[in-house]
Amino acid sequence: QVQLVESGGDLVQPGGSLRLSCTASGFTLDYYAISWFRQAPGKEREGVSCISSLYDSTDYTEPVKGRFTISRDNANNTVYLQMNSLKPEDTAVYYCAAVHGLFSQCRFLDEDDYDYWGQGTQVIVSS
Protein backbone atom coordinates (compact mmCIF):
# COMPACT_ATOMS: atom_id res chain seq x y z
CA GLN A 1 0.00 0.00 0.00
CA VAL A 2 1.36 3.40 -0.99
CA GLN A 3 1.14 5.83 1.87
CA LEU A 4 2.84 8.36 4.12
CA VAL A 5 2.60 7.87 7.85
CA GLU A 6 3.40 10.56 10.39
CA SER A 7 4.29 9.78 13.98
CA GLY A 8 5.82 11.44 17.00
CA GLY A 9 3.09 13.85 17.98
CA ASP A 10 2.46 14.21 21.69
CA LEU A 11 1.56 16.52 24.55
CA VAL A 12 4.63 18.52 25.58
CA GLN A 13 5.27 21.47 27.88
CA PRO A 14 6.33 24.84 26.49
CA GLY A 15 10.05 24.85 25.85
CA GLY A 16 10.08 21.13 25.19
CA SER A 17 11.04 19.19 22.09
CA LEU A 18 9.51 16.62 19.78
CA ARG A 19 10.69 14.83 16.69
CA LEU A 20 8.08 14.05 14.08
CA SER A 21 8.63 11.31 11.51
CA CYS A 22 7.16 10.97 8.05
CA THR A 23 7.72 7.47 6.72
CA ALA A 24 6.83 6.30 3.22
CA SER A 25 5.64 2.82 2.41
CA GLY A 26 5.09 1.43 -1.06
CA PHE A 27 7.48 3.93 -2.63
CA THR A 28 10.86 5.49 -1.94
CA LEU A 29 11.38 9.13 -1.02
CA ASP A 30 14.60 9.51 -3.00
CA TYR A 31 13.13 11.76 -5.72
CA TYR A 32 10.40 13.37 -3.70
CA ALA A 33 10.36 16.81 -2.16
CA ILE A 34 8.71 16.71 1.25
CA SER A 35 6.80 19.42 3.03
CA TRP A 36 5.47 19.59 6.55
CA PHE A 37 2.22 21.46 7.08
CA ARG A 38 0.21 22.13 10.20
CA GLN A 39 -3.36 23.04 10.95
CA ALA A 40 -4.39 24.57 14.23
CA PRO A 41 -8.03 24.53 15.39
CA GLY A 42 -10.05 27.10 13.49
CA LYS A 43 -7.15 28.02 11.22
CA GLU A 44 -6.12 27.19 7.69
CA ARG A 45 -3.40 24.66 6.98
CA GLU A 46 -0.02 26.34 6.68
CA GLY A 47 3.38 25.28 5.41
CA VAL A 48 5.95 24.78 8.14
CA SER A 49 9.06 23.35 6.50
CA CYS A 50 10.17 21.67 3.30
CA ILE A 51 13.14 19.79 1.91
CA SER A 52 13.98 19.49 -1.75
CA SER A 53 14.58 16.27 -3.67
CA LEU A 54 17.98 17.49 -4.91
CA TYR A 55 20.70 18.76 -2.57
CA ASP A 56 18.31 18.60 0.42
CA SER A 57 17.73 22.33 0.35
CA THR A 58 15.42 23.39 3.15
CA ASP A 59 13.09 26.22 4.01
CA TYR A 60 11.01 27.20 7.01
CA THR A 61 8.13 29.47 7.76
CA GLU A 62 9.30 32.47 9.77
CA PRO A 63 7.71 31.55 13.14
CA VAL A 64 9.68 28.29 13.36
CA LYS A 65 13.05 29.41 12.00
CA GLY A 66 15.82 28.61 14.44
CA ARG A 67 13.62 26.17 16.35
CA PHE A 68 12.63 23.49 13.81
CA THR A 69 14.93 21.38 11.64
CA ILE A 70 13.88 19.18 8.75
CA SER A 71 16.07 16.30 7.62
CA ARG A 72 15.91 13.31 5.35
CA ASP A 73 17.04 9.72 5.97
CA ASN A 74 16.70 7.92 2.68
CA ALA A 75 18.02 4.67 4.12
CA ASN A 76 14.97 4.57 6.40
CA ASN A 77 12.68 6.18 3.84
CA THR A 78 11.82 8.83 6.41
CA VAL A 79 11.83 12.60 6.76
CA TYR A 80 12.06 14.09 10.23
CA LEU A 81 10.97 17.37 11.74
CA GLN A 82 12.90 18.16 14.90
CA MET A 83 10.99 20.73 16.90
CA ASN A 84 12.71 22.50 19.77
CA SER A 85 11.68 25.33 22.08
CA LEU A 86 8.05 24.53 21.44
CA LYS A 87 5.44 27.19 22.09
CA PRO A 88 1.70 26.92 22.69
CA GLU A 89 1.14 28.43 19.25
CA ASP A 90 2.82 25.38 17.71
CA THR A 91 -0.18 23.32 18.77
CA ALA A 92 -1.67 21.78 15.65
CA VAL A 93 -2.11 18.64 13.62
CA TYR A 94 1.05 18.19 11.59
CA TYR A 95 0.95 16.64 8.13
CA CYS A 96 3.65 15.64 5.70
CA ALA A 97 3.20 15.70 1.94
CA ALA A 98 5.33 14.40 -0.91
CA VAL A 99 5.69 15.52 -4.50
CA HIS A 100 7.74 13.66 -7.08
CA GLY A 101 10.28 15.57 -9.13
CA LEU A 102 13.79 16.97 -9.33
CA PHE A 103 13.65 20.11 -7.23
CA SER A 104 16.87 21.91 -6.37
CA GLN A 105 14.99 24.17 -4.00
CA CYS A 106 11.86 23.56 -2.01
CA ARG A 107 8.74 25.62 -1.74
CA PHE A 108 5.25 25.11 -0.46
CA LEU A 109 2.94 24.05 -3.27
CA ASP A 110 -0.82 24.09 -3.56
CA GLU A 111 -2.26 21.13 -1.69
CA ASP A 112 -3.52 19.50 -4.87
CA ASP A 113 -0.01 19.50 -6.35
CA TYR A 114 1.28 16.95 -3.85
CA ASP A 115 1.21 13.29 -4.78
CA TYR A 116 0.78 11.92 -1.28
CA TRP A 117 -0.40 13.16 2.11
CA GLY A 118 -0.16 11.57 5.50
CA GLN A 119 -3.03 11.33 7.96
CA GLY A 120 -1.53 13.79 10.44
CA THR A 121 -0.12 13.63 13.95
CA GLN A 122 -1.31 15.79 16.84
CA VAL A 123 1.08 18.10 18.66
CA ILE A 124 -0.16 19.85 21.80
CA VAL A 125 2.07 22.32 23.59
CA SER A 126 0.62 23.12 26.98
CA SER A 127 1.57 23.34 30.62
Side-chain angles (χ1 to χ4, degrees):
Q1 186 176 3
V2 176
Q3 60 179 354
L4 286 175
V5 178
E6 302 99 331
S7 62
D10 205 345
L11 169 64
V12 62
Q13 292 187 343
S17 297
L18 285 175
R19 188 178 77 162
L20 305 184
S21 300
C22 172
T23 301
S25 61
F27 69 104
T28 60
L29 292 178
D30 294 41
Y31 296 106
Y32 283 82
I34 307 297
S35 296
W36 282 97
F37 290 81
R38 67 185 179 186
Q39 188 166 21
K43 295 187 177 181
E44 293 186 355
R45 197 179 310 197
E46 63 172 347
V48 175
S49 180
C50 58
I51 186 166
S52 67
S53 51
L54 296 178
Y55 317 129
D56 285 350
S57 296
T58 60
D59 199 7
Y60 302 88
T61 187
E62 195 64 36
V64 310
K65 284 183 178 178
R67 300 188 297 122
F68 290 11
T69 303
I70 190 171
S71 62
R72 177 194 296 272
D73 181 353
N74 285 343
N76 288 311
N77 219 23
T78 298
V79 170
Y80 300 103
L81 184 67
Q82 178 67 43
M83 307 188 297
N84 298 329
S85 302
L86 283 161
K87 304 176 181 180
E89 50 264 43
D90 294 319
T91 294
V93 178
Y94 284 70
Y95 301 88
C96 63
V99 56
H100 186 266
L102 299 178
F103 304 100
S104 59
Q105 295 182 338
C106 74
R107 61 185 179 93
F108 300 116
L109 306 175
D110 292 338
E111 294 186 9
D112 290 344
D113 291 334
Y114 289 93
D115 298 308
Y116 303 109
W117 282 86
Q119 83 291 345
T121 186
Q122 177 76 59
V123 172
I124 300 175
V125 184
S126 175
S127 55

Coordinates of all heavy atoms in Angstrom, one line a residue, residues 32-105:
Y32 N 11.6 12.6 -4.1 CA 10.4 13.4 -3.7 C 10.8 14.5 -2.8 O 11.7 14.4 -2.0 CB 9.5 12.5 -2.9 CG 8.6 11.5 -3.7 CD1 9.1 10.3 -4.2 CD2 7.3 11.9 -4.1 CE1 8.4 9.5 -4.9 CE2 6.5 11.0 -4.8 CZ 7.1 9.8 -5.3 OH 6.3 9.0 -6.0
A33 N 10.3 15.7 -3.1 CA 10.4 16.8 -2.2 C 9.3 16.6 -1.1 O 8.2 16.2 -1.4 CB 10.2 18.1 -2.9
I34 N 9.6 16.9 0.1 CA 8.7 16.7 1.3 C 8.4 18.0 1.9 O 9.4 18.8 2.2 CB 9.3 15.7 2.3 CG1 9.7 14.4 1.6 CG2 8.3 15.5 3.4 CD1 8.6 13.7 1.0
S35 N 7.2 18.2 2.3 CA 6.8 19.4 3.0 C 6.1 19.0 4.3 O 5.3 18.0 4.3 CB 5.9 20.3 2.2 OG 6.6 20.9 1.1
W36 N 6.3 19.7 5.3 CA 5.5 19.6 6.5 C 4.5 20.8 6.6 O 4.9 21.9 6.4 CB 6.3 19.6 7.8 CG 7.0 18.3 8.1 CD1 8.3 18.0 7.7 CD2 6.5 17.2 8.8 NE1 8.6 16.7 8.2 CE2 7.5 16.2 8.8 CE3 5.3 16.9 9.4 CZ2 7.4 15.0 9.4 CZ3 5.1 15.7 10.0 CH2 6.1 14.7 10.0
F37 N 3.2 20.5 6.9 CA 2.2 21.5 7.1 C 1.6 21.3 8.5 O 1.8 20.2 9.1 CB 1.1 21.3 6.1 CG 1.5 21.7 4.7 CD1 2.1 20.8 3.9 CD2 1.1 22.9 4.1 CE1 2.5 21.1 2.5 CE2 1.4 23.2 2.8 CZ 2.1 22.3 2.0
R38 N 0.9 22.3 8.9 CA 0.2 22.1 10.2 C -1.1 22.9 10.1 O -1.2 23.8 9.4 CB 1.0 22.6 11.4 CG 1.3 24.1 11.4 CD 2.2 24.5 12.6 NE 2.5 25.9 12.6 CZ 3.4 26.4 13.5 NH1 4.0 25.7 14.4 NH2 3.6 27.7 13.4
Q39 N -2.1 22.4 10.9 CA -3.4 23.0 10.9 C -3.8 23.1 12.4 O -4.0 22.1 13.0 CB -4.4 22.3 10.1 CG -5.7 23.0 10.0 CD -6.6 22.5 8.9 OE1 -6.5 21.3 8.5 NE2 -7.5 23.3 8.4
A40 N -3.9 24.3 12.9 CA -4.4 24.6 14.2 C -5.9 24.7 14.2 O -6.5 25.0 13.2 CB -3.8 25.8 14.8
P41 N -6.6 24.4 15.3 CA -8.0 24.5 15.4 C -8.5 25.9 14.9 O -8.0 26.9 15.4 CB -8.3 24.3 16.9 CG -7.2 23.5 17.4 CD -6.0 24.0 16.6
G42 N -9.5 25.9 14.0 CA -10.0 27.1 13.5 C -9.2 27.9 12.5 O -9.6 29.0 12.1
K43 N -8.1 27.3 12.1 CA -7.2 28.0 11.2 C -6.9 27.2 9.9 O -7.2 26.0 9.9 CB -5.8 28.3 11.9 CG -5.9 29.3 13.1 CD -4.6 29.7 13.6 CE -4.6 30.7 14.7 NZ -3.3 31.1 15.2
E44 N -6.4 27.9 8.9 CA -6.1 27.2 7.7 C -4.8 26.4 7.8 O -4.0 26.8 8.7 CB -6.0 28.2 6.5 CG -7.3 28.8 6.2 CD -7.2 29.7 4.9 OE1 -6.1 29.9 4.4 OE2 -8.3 30.2 4.5
R45 N -4.7 25.4 7.0 CA -3.4 24.7 7.0 C -2.3 25.6 6.5 O -2.5 26.3 5.5 CB -3.5 23.4 6.1 CG -2.5 22.4 6.3 CD -2.6 21.2 5.4 NE -4.0 20.6 5.5 CZ -4.2 19.4 5.1 NH1 -3.2 18.6 4.6 NH2 -5.4 18.9 5.1
E46 N -1.1 25.5 7.1 CA 0.0 26.3 6.7 C 1.2 25.5 6.5 O 1.4 24.5 7.2 CB 0.2 27.5 7.7 CG 0.7 27.0 9.1 CD 1.1 28.1 10.0 OE1 1.3 29.2 9.5 OE2 1.2 27.8 11.2
G47 N 2.1 25.9 5.6 CA 3.4 25.3 5.4 C 4.3 25.6 6.6 O 4.4 26.8 7.0
V48 N 5.0 24.6 7.0 CA 6.0 24.8 8.1 C 7.4 24.7 7.7 O 8.2 25.5 8.0 CB 5.7 23.7 9.2 CG1 6.7 23.8 10.3 CG2 4.3 23.9 9.8
S49 N 7.7 23.6 6.9 CA 9.1 23.4 6.5 C 9.0 22.5 5.3 O 8.1 21.7 5.1 CB 9.9 22.7 7.6 OG 11.2 22.5 7.2
C50 N 10.1 22.5 4.5 CA 10.2 21.7 3.3 C 11.6 21.3 3.0 O 12.5 22.0 3.5 CB 9.5 22.3 2.1 SG 10.2 23.9 1.6
I51 N 11.8 20.2 2.3 CA 13.1 19.8 1.9 C 13.1 19.3 0.5 O 12.1 18.6 0.1 CB 13.7 18.7 2.9 CG1 15.1 18.3 2.5 CG2 12.8 17.4 2.8 CD1 15.8 17.5 3.6
S52 N 14.0 19.8 -0.3 CA 14.0 19.5 -1.8 C 14.4 18.1 -2.0 O 15.0 17.4 -1.2 CB 14.9 20.5 -2.5 OG 16.2 20.3 -2.2
S53 N 14.2 17.6 -3.3 CA 14.6 16.3 -3.7 C 16.0 16.2 -4.1 O 16.7 15.2 -4.0 CB 13.7 15.8 -4.8 OG 13.6 16.7 -5.8
L54 N 16.6 17.4 -4.5 CA 18.0 17.5 -4.9 C 18.7 18.4 -3.9 O 18.2 19.4 -3.5 CB 18.1 18.1 -6.3 CG 17.6 17.3 -7.5 CD1 17.8 18.1 -8.8 CD2 18.3 15.9 -7.6
Y55 N 19.8 18.0 -3.4 CA 20.7 18.8 -2.6 C 20.1 19.0 -1.2 O 20.8 19.7 -0.4 CB 21.0 20.1 -3.2 CG 21.3 20.1 -4.7 CD1 20.6 20.9 -5.6 CD2 22.3 19.2 -5.2 CE1 20.9 20.8 -6.9 CE2 22.5 19.1 -6.5 CZ 21.8 19.9 -7.4 OH 22.1 19.9 -8.7
D56 N 18.9 18.5 -0.9 CA 18.3 18.6 0.4 C 18.3 20.1 0.9 O 18.5 20.4 2.0 CB 19.1 17.8 1.5 CG 18.7 16.3 1.3 OD1 17.8 15.9 0.5 OD2 19.4 15.5 1.9
S57 N 17.9 20.9 0.0 CA 17.7 22.3 0.3 C 16.5 22.4 1.2 O 15.5 21.7 1.0 CB 17.5 23.2 -0.9 OG 18.7 23.2 -1.7
T58 N 16.5 23.3 2.2 CA 15.4 23.4 3.2 C 14.9 24.8 3.2 O 15.6 25.8 2.9 CB 15.9 22.9 4.5 OG1 16.9 23.8 5.0 CG2 16.3 21.5 4.5
D59 N 13.7 24.9 3.8 CA 13.1 26.2 4.0 C 12.1 26.1 5.2 O 11.6 25.0 5.5 CB 12.4 26.8 2.8 CG 12.2 28.3 2.8 OD1 12.7 28.9 3.8 OD2 11.5 28.8 2.0
Y60 N 11.9 27.2 5.8 CA 11.0 27.2 7.0 C 10.1 28.4 7.0 O 10.6 29.5 6.6 CB 11.9 27.2 8.3 CG 12.8 26.0 8.4 CD1 14.1 26.1 7.9 CD2 12.4 24.9 9.0 CE1 15.0 25.0 7.9 CE2 13.3 23.8 9.1 CZ 14.6 23.9 8.6 OH 15.4 22.8 8.7
T61 N 8.9 28.3 7.6 CA 8.1 29.5 7.8 C 8.8 30.3 8.9 O 9.4 29.7 9.8 CB 6.7 29.1 8.1 OG1 5.9 30.2 8.1 CG2 6.6 28.4 9.4
E62 N 8.6 31.6 8.8 CA 9.3 32.5 9.8 C 9.1 32.1 11.2 O 10.1 32.2 12.0 CB 8.9 33.9 9.5 CG 9.8 34.9 10.1 CD 11.2 34.9 9.6 OE1 11.4 34.7 8.4 OE2 12.1 35.1 10.4
P63 N 7.9 31.8 11.7 CA 7.7 31.6 13.1 C 8.5 30.4 13.7 O 8.7 30.3 14.9 CB 6.2 31.3 13.3 CG 5.6 32.0 12.1 CD 6.6 31.8 11.0
V64 N 9.0 29.5 12.8 CA 9.7 28.3 13.4 C 11.2 28.3 13.0 O 11.9 27.4 13.5 CB 9.1 27.0 12.8 CG1 7.6 27.0 13.0 CG2 9.4 26.7 11.4
K65 N 11.6 29.3 12.3 CA 13.1 29.4 12.0 C 13.9 29.5 13.3 O 13.6 30.2 14.2 CB 13.3 30.6 11.1 CG 12.9 30.5 9.7 CD 13.2 31.7 8.8 CE 12.8 31.4 7.4 NZ 13.1 32.6 6.5
G66 N 14.9 28.7 13.3 CA 15.8 28.6 14.4 C 15.4 27.6 15.5 O 16.1 27.3 16.4
R67 N 14.1 27.1 15.4 CA 13.6 26.2 16.3 C 13.4 24.8 15.7 O 13.5 23.8 16.4 CB 12.3 26.7 17.0 CG 12.4 28.0 17.7 CD 11.2 28.4 18.4 NE 10.0 28.6 17.5 CZ 8.9 27.9 17.6 NH1 8.7 26.9 18.5 NH2 7.9 28.1 16.8
F68 N 13.0 24.7 14.5 CA 12.6 23.5 13.8 C 13.7 23.1 12.8 O 14.3 24.0 12.2 CB 11.3 23.6 13.1 CG 10.1 23.7 13.9 CD1 10.2 23.9 15.3 CD2 8.8 23.5 13.4 CE1 9.0 24.0 16.1 CE2 7.7 23.6 14.1 CZ 7.8 23.8 15.5
T69 N 14.0 21.9 12.6 CA 14.9 21.4 11.6 C 14.3 20.2 10.9 O 13.9 19.2 11.5 CB 16.2 21.0 12.3 OG1 16.8 22.1 13.0 CG2 17.3 20.5 11.2
I70 N 14.3 20.3 9.6 CA 13.9 19.2 8.8 C 15.1 18.4 8.2 O 16.1 19.0 7.9 CB 13.0 19.7 7.6 CG1 12.3 18.5 6.9 CG2 13.8 20.6 6.6 CD1 11.2 19.0 5.9
S71 N 15.0 17.1 8.1 CA 16.1 16.3 7.6 C 15.5 15.1 7.0 O 14.4 14.7 7.2 CB 17.0 15.9 8.7 OG 16.4 15.1 9.7
R72 N 16.3 14.5 6.1 CA 15.9 13.3 5.3 C 16.8 12.1 5.6 O 18.1 12.3 5.7 CB 16.0 13.7 3.9 CG 15.6 12.6 2.9 CD 16.1 13.0 1.5 NE 15.4 14.1 1.0 CZ 14.2 14.1 0.3 NH1 13.6 12.9 0.2 NH2 13.7 15.2 -0.1
D73 N 16.3 11.0 5.8 CA 17.0 9.7 6.0 C 16.5 8.7 4.9 O 15.6 8.0 5.2 CB 16.8 9.2 7.4 CG 17.6 7.9 7.6 OD1 18.3 7.4 6.7 OD2 17.6 7.4 8.8
N74 N 17.2 8.8 3.8 CA 16.7 7.9 2.7 C 16.8 6.4 3.0 O 16.1 5.6 2.5 CB 17.4 8.2 1.4 CG 16.9 9.6 0.8 OD1 15.9 10.1 1.1 ND2 17.7 10.1 -0.1
A75 N 17.8 6.1 3.8 CA 18.0 4.7 4.1 C 16.8 4.1 4.9 O 16.5 2.9 4.7 CB 19.3 4.5 5.0
N76 N 16.2 5.0 5.7 CA 15.0 4.6 6.4 C 13.7 5.1 5.8 O 12.6 4.9 6.3 CB 15.1 5.0 7.8 CG 16.1 4.3 8.6 OD1 16.1 3.0 8.6 ND2 17.0 5.0 9.3
N77 N 13.8 5.7 4.6 CA 12.7 6.2 3.8 C 11.8 7.1 4.7 O 10.6 7.1 4.7 CB 11.8 5.0 3.3 CG 11.3 5.2 2.0 OD1 11.8 6.0 1.2 ND2 10.2 4.5 1.7
T78 N 12.5 8.0 5.4 CA 11.8 8.8 6.4 C 12.4 10.3 6.4 O 13.5 10.5 6.1 CB 12.0 8.3 7.8 OG1 11.4 6.9 7.9 CG2 11.4 9.1 8.9
V79 N 11.5 11.2 6.6 CA 11.8 12.6 6.8 C 11.4 13.0 8.2 O 10.3 12.6 8.6 CB 11.1 13.5 5.7 CG1 11.3 15.0 6.1 CG2 11.7 13.2 4.3
Y80 N 12.3 13.7 8.8 CA 12.1 14.1 10.2 C 11.8 15.6 10.3 O 12.3 16.4 9.5 CB 13.3 13.7 11.1 CG 13.6 12.2 11.1 CD1 14.6 11.7 10.4 CD2 12.8 11.4 11.9 CE1 14.9 10.4 10.3 CE2 13.1 10.0 11.9 CZ 14.2 9.5 11.1 OH 14.4 8.2 11.1
L81 N 11.1 16.0 11.4 CA 11.0 17.4 11.7 C 11.3 17.5 13.2 O 10.5 17.0 14.1 CB 9.6 17.9 11.5 CG 9.4 19.4 11.7 CD1 10.2 20.2 10.7 CD2 7.9 19.8 11.6
Q82 N 12.5 18.0 13.5 CA 12.9 18.2 14.9 C 12.4 19.5 15.4 O 12.7 20.5 14.7 CB 14.4 18.1 15.0 CG 14.9 18.4 16.4 CD 14.6 17.3 17.4 OE1 14.7 16.1 17.1 NE2 14.2 17.6 18.6
M83 N 11.6 19.5 16.4 CA 11.0 20.7 16.9 C 11.5 21.0 18.3 O 11.2 20.2 19.2 CB 9.5 20.6 16.9 CG 8.9 20.2 15.5 SD 7.1 20.2 15.5 CE 6.7 19.0 16.7
N84 N 12.2 22.1 18.5 CA 12.7 22.5 19.8 C 12.1 23.8 20.2 O 11.4 24.5 19.4 CB 14.2 22.7 19.7 CG 15.0 21.4 19.3 OD1 14.5 20.3 19.6 ND2 16.1 21.6 18.6
S85 N 12.2 24.1 21.5 CA 11.7 25.3 22.1 C 10.2 25.5 21.7 O 9.8 26.6 21.2 CB 12.5 26.5 21.6 OG 13.9 26.4 22.0
L86 N 9.4 24.5 21.9 CA 8.1 24.5 21.4 C 7.2 25.6 22.2 O 7.5 25.8 23.4 CB 7.4 23.1 21.5 CG 7.8 22.2 20.4 CD1 7.6 20.7 20.8 CD2 7.1 22.5 19.1
K87 N 6.3 26.2 21.5 CA 5.4 27.2 22.1 C 4.0 26.7 22.0 O 3.6 25.9 21.1 CB 5.6 28.5 21.3 CG 7.1 29.0 21.3 CD 7.2 30.3 20.4 CE 8.6 30.8 20.4 NZ 8.7 32.0 19.5
P88 N 3.1 27.3 22.8 CA 1.7 26.9 22.7 C 1.1 27.1 21.3 O 0.3 26.4 20.8 CB 1.0 27.8 23.7 CG 2.1 28.0 24.8 CD 3.4 28.1 24.0
E89 N 1.6 28.2 20.6 CA 1.1 28.4 19.3 C 1.6 27.4 18.2 O 1.2 27.5 17.1 CB 1.5 29.8 18.8 CG 3.0 30.2 19.0 CD 3.3 30.9 20.3 OE1 2.7 30.5 21.3 OE2 4.1 31.9 20.2
D90 N 2.5 26.5 18.6 CA 2.8 25.4 17.7 C 1.8 24.2 17.8 O 1.9 23.3 17.0 CB 4.2 24.8 18.1 CG 5.3 25.8 17.9 OD1 5.3 26.5 16.8 OD2 6.2 25.9 18.7
T91 N 0.8 24.4 18.7 CA -0.2 23.3 18.8 C -1.0 23.2 17.5 O -1.5 24.2 17.0 CB -1.1 23.6 19.9 OG1 -0.4 23.6 21.2 CG2 -2.3 22.7 20.0
A92 N -1.0 22.0 16.9 CA -1.7 21.8 15.6 C -1.6 20.3 15.3 O -0.8 19.5 15.9 CB -1.0 22.6 14.5
V93 N -2.3 19.9 14.3 CA -2.1 18.6 13.6 C -1.1 18.9 12.5 O -1.2 19.8 11.7 CB -3.4 18.1 13.0 CG1 -3.1 16.7 12.3 CG2 -4.5 17.9 14.1
Y94 N 0.0 18.1 12.5 CA 1.0 18.2 11.6 C 0.9 17.1 10.5 O 0.7 15.9 10.8 CB 2.4 18.1 12.3 CG 2.8 19.3 13.1 CD1 2.1 19.7 14.2 CD2 3.8 20.2 12.6 CE1 2.4 20.9 14.9 CE2 4.1 21.4 13.3 CZ 3.4 21.7 14.4 OH 3.7 22.8 15.1
Y95 N 1.1 17.5 9.3 CA 1.0 16.6 8.1 C 2.2 16.7 7.3 O 2.8 17.8 7.2 CB -0.2 17.1 7.2 CG -1.6 17.1 7.9 CD1 -2.0 18.2 8.5 CD2 -2.4 16.0 7.8 CE1 -3.3 18.3 9.1 CE2 -3.7 16.0 8.4 CZ -4.1 17.2 9.0 OH -5.3 17.2 9.6
C96 N 2.6 15.6 6.7 CA 3.7 15.6 5.7 C 3.0 15.3 4.3 O 2.0 14.7 4.2 CB 4.8 14.7 6.0 SG 4.4 12.9 6.0
A97 N 3.7 15.9 3.3 CA 3.2 15.7 1.9 C 4.4 15.5 1.0 O 5.5 16.1 1.3 CB 2.4 16.9 1.5
A98 N 4.2 14.7 0.0 CA 5.3 14.4 -0.9 C 4.9 14.7 -2.3 O 3.8 14.4 -2.8 CB 5.7 12.9 -0.8
V99 N 5.9 15.3 -3.1 CA 5.7 15.5 -4.5 C 6.9 15.0 -5.3 O 8.1 15.3 -4.9 CB 5.5 17.0 -4.8 CG1 6.6 17.9 -4.3 CG2 5.2 17.3 -6.3
H100 N 6.7 14.3 -6.3 CA 7.7 13.7 -7.1 C 8.3 14.7 -8.1 O 7.6 15.4 -8.7 CB 7.2 12.4 -7.8 CG 8.3 11.7 -8.5 ND1 8.6 11.9 -9.9 CD2 9.1 10.7 -8.1 CE1 9.6 11.1 -10.2 NE2 9.9 10.4 -9.2
G101 N 9.6 14.7 -8.2 CA 10.3 15.6 -9.1 C 11.7 15.9 -8.7 O 12.1 15.6 -7.6
L102 N 12.4 16.5 -9.6 CA 13.8 17.0 -9.3 C 13.8 18.4 -9.0 O 13.7 19.3 -9.9 CB 14.7 16.7 -10.5 CG 14.8 15.2 -10.9 CD1 15.7 15.1 -12.2 CD2 15.3 14.4 -9.8
F103 N 13.7 18.7 -7.7 CA 13.7 20.1 -7.2 C 15.0 20.5 -6.5 O 15.3 19.8 -5.5 CB 12.5 20.3 -6.3 CG 11.1 19.9 -6.8 CD1 10.6 18.6 -6.5 CD2 10.4 20.7 -7.7 CE1 9.4 18.3 -7.1 CE2 9.2 20.4 -8.2 CZ 8.7 19.1 -7.9
S104 N 15.6 21.5 -7.0 CA 16.9 21.9 -6.4 C 16.6 22.8 -5.2 O 17.4 22.9 -4.2 CB 17.8 22.7 -7.4 OG 17.1 23.8 -7.9
Q105 N 15.4 23.4 -5.2 CA 15.0 24.2 -4.0 C 13.6 23.7 -3.7 O 12.8 23.2 -4.5 CB 15.0 25.7 -4.3 CG 16.4 26.2 -4.5 CD 16.4 27.7 -4.7 OE1 15.4 28.3 -5.1 NE2 17.6 28.3 -4.5

